[in-house]
Amino acid sequence: MTIRSKNKLLLLIISIFAYFITVGMSAVLLPIILKTNNVPDFLIGFSDNIKVFVGLLILIIIPKIASKLGIIETGIISLILYGTSILLLPLYYNYLVWMFLIFLFGSGFIIFRTMEETLANVISNNQNRGKIMGYVATSMLSGLSVGPIITKIFGVNNYFNFILAFVCVCISILCFYLIKNTKGNIKATAKFELFKFLKEMPLVFFSKFIMEFIVQVIFVFAVIYTMETTKYSAEDAGLFITAFSVSGFLNIFVGNFVDKVKNKNALMIFGVLFLFLCMILFSITL
């Protein structure tokens, strides 16, 4: 990897880390806002998981937008959309207005996730793609684990949390802007083959969608369920998200390992079996 590519990768990692601090914070703060306003638990869950379903709705337009505007520009627009929403969401008016803001919030989230993964693939090559995606996943989960710690420090009823989250989004925007202006070629318009990917590997796409859905459910109910069934405060319940995410550093080793393993199917089967083992061990401890 050239020095220019390393600089772009470093900026991308910082951008993802800063962005996912806000995701970790919102995973704690947003359910609490709804709970405070006496919104039923099933509507709280629906509100959070709508981000995943938004991804399906805008799946058709993401490639068109990114191909016309470019990876960096589309990423910056998604961050502006996300950052604006996160400042408005705590000003709860009613559930319908909330859902509209969540739609904008989720759109920004899904578009940014698509752009940062696309950018990581543009920076990488077939020899180091696993390692780079490992770095990306580690920065994502590291930021996610830091978010609830910040809400623990400042308390869930402090609007300063949302200001700080907005600042993190601004840092992410700055990093994307610097990537654009870093010497070296980043394709202004990417050739997206998203539907080709869906056609050739539908099971991979479906498994990723299910995994995203499961993670969203875990995040919401890690806070709400823990508060209602234990004596933990919202701030302490949020630390369960930190515990869930802190293992993200393992992705560095997994990424390096993936580059060296030829049989990817065997690796995925091992991962699924390991997940089931963890679920069994967790159920035994309940």
Side-chain angles (χ1 to χ4, degrees):
M1 180 180 283
T2 64
I3 293 176
R4 288 174 179 174
S5 294
K6 288 181 179 179
N7 290 339
K8 293 168 188 170
L9 177 60
L10 178 60
L11 287 169
L12 178 61
I13 287 173
I14 294 172
S15 175
I16 293 171
F17 175 74
Y19 177 80
F20 272 90
I21 289 177
T22 73
V23 176
M25 295 174 71
S26 64
V28 179
L29 297 170
L30 299 188
I32 297 302
I33 293 173
L34 293 178
K35 195 68 179 176
T36 303
N37 286 277
N38 300 314
V39 175
D41 289 348
F42 79 93
L43 287 180
I44 295 176
F46 177 76
S47 169
D48 195 78
N49 282 294
I50 198 68
K51 293 196 295 290
V52 179
F53 294 103
V54 164
L56 293 178
L57 293 175
I58 63 175
L59 192 62
I60 297 175
I61 65 172
I62 290 178
K64 294 180 180 179
I65 294 173
S67 295
K68 185 175 182 179
L69 299 179
I71 301 171
I72 303 297
E73 291 79 0
T74 306
I76 291 175
I77 290 172
S78 72
L79 288 166
I80 293 172
L81 192 64
Y82 186 91
T84 303
S85 302
I86 209 165
L87 286 176
L88 296 175
L89 279 167
L91 308 176
Y92 183 85
Y93 180 70
N94 61 46
Y95 191 75
L96 290 178
V97 174
W98 173 275
M99 288 302 295
F100 173 73
L101 290 174
I102 283 292
F103 181 84
L104 299 179
F105 181 82
S107 297
F109 175 80
I110 294 296
I111 295 172
F112 178 79
R113 290 281 283 115
T114 306
M115 293 306 101
E116 52 97 350
E117 288 193 7
T118 303
L119 188 55
N121 276 286
V122 170
I123 293 173
S124 63
N125 54 51
N126 291 334
Q127 286 69 46
N128 63 10
R129 183 161 287 112
K131 179 170 66 175
I132 287 181
M133 296 309 292
Y135 288 145
V136 168
T138 298
S139 63
M140 178 181 72
L141 290 170
S142 297
L144 203 57
S145 65
V146 170
I149 296 175
I150 294 175
T151 61
K152 168 68 176 176
I153 294 172
F154 294 106
V156 295
N157 296 316
N158 192 339
Y159 188 77
F160 180 73
N161 285 306
F162 294 94
I163 296 175
L164 186 57
F166 181 76
V167 170
C168 289
V169 173
C170 291
I171 293 172
S172 190
I173 292 173
L174 176 62
C175 289
F176 256 57
Y177 178 79
L178 292 175
I179 292 173
K180 179 182 178 181
N181 289 277
T182 300
K183 291 183 179 180
N185 182 36
I186 284 288
K187 297 178 183 177
T189 56
K191 181 182 178 182
F192 280 83
E193 297 183 344
L194 192 57
F195 295 104
K196 182 180 178 182
F197 169 71
L198 294 178
K199 183 179 179 180
E200 294 181 354
M201 294 183 288
L203 292 178
V204 174
F205 176 80
F206 181 72
S207 65
K208 183 174 177 62
F209 173 79
I210 293 297
M211 189 63 189
E212 291 278 357
F213 180 79
I214 291 172
V215 169
Q216 294 298 324
V217 171
I218 290 173
F219 284 178
V220 173
F221 292 103
V223 178
I224 300 301
Y225 180 79
T226 303
M227 286 176 58
E228 292 186 348
T229 59
T230 69
K231 295 181 180 179
Y232 288 113
S233 64
E235 292 85 355
D236 290 333
L239 295 179
F240 283 97
I241 296 175
T242 298
F244 177 86
S245 306
V246 77
S247 61
F249 73 93
L250 292 173
N251 284 287
I252 295 176
F253 303 103
V254 173
N256 280 278
F257 185 62
V258 166
D259 284 332
K260 298 176 182 178
V261 174
K262 294 182 179 180
N263 193 335
K264 310 297 183 185
N265 290 331
L267 190 62
M268 286 191 289
I269 292 172
F270 173 78
V272 171
L273 292 175
F274 183 74
L275 178 62
F276 275 112
L277 176 61
C278 291
M279 292 174 65
I280 292 171
L281 292 175
F282 179 75
S283 63
I284 293 173
T285 61
L286 292 177

